[in-house]
Amino acid sequence: MKYLTFNVCAIAGLGFSGLAVLLLLANLLSGNRFVDAILPAAIVSLVVGGAFSVRARLLSARGNGPAKRRGPAKR
C-alpha cells in the first residue's frame, strides 16, 4: 500500500467532504427526487472524508505534517 502523506490525506478529506456538500446541494435543487441514492452517497462521502481528515490530523500530531515556515531571512 502506498504511504499517504499529510498533504494527500488533507486534500482527500477536503475533497470528499466537499463532494458530500455538493451531493446534498444537488438533492436540494432536485426537490428530493433522488434522495434514495444521493443521501447514502453523501453519508459515505462524509465518512470517507472524515477518515482522511483524522489520518491527516494523526500525521500532523506525529510530526509528519506540513513544514512550518519561519518567514523571511534576517540579514
Side-chain angles (χ1 to χ4, degrees):
M1 184 174 157
K2 183 180 174 185
Y3 177 73
L4 297 175
T5 64
F6 170 81
N7 288 339
V8 170
C9 289
I11 291 171
L14 181 65
F16 277 107
S17 297
L19 176 64
V21 170
L22 287 175
L23 286 171
L24 292 174
L25 185 62
N27 182 43
L28 175 70
L29 293 175
S30 71
N32 290 335
R33 235 180 296 164
F34 306 108
V35 71
D36 293 337
I38 290 180
L39 193 58
I43 291 171
V44 168
S45 181
L46 277 176
V47 169
V48 172
F52 273 115
S53 296
V54 168
R55 177 72 178 152
R57 175 74 176 135
L58 291 175
L59 286 171
S60 178
R62 246 194 281 159
N64 296 334
K68 298 192 184 208
R69 298 182 184 227
R70 294 186 173 197
K74 295 182 180 178
R75 293 184 183 195

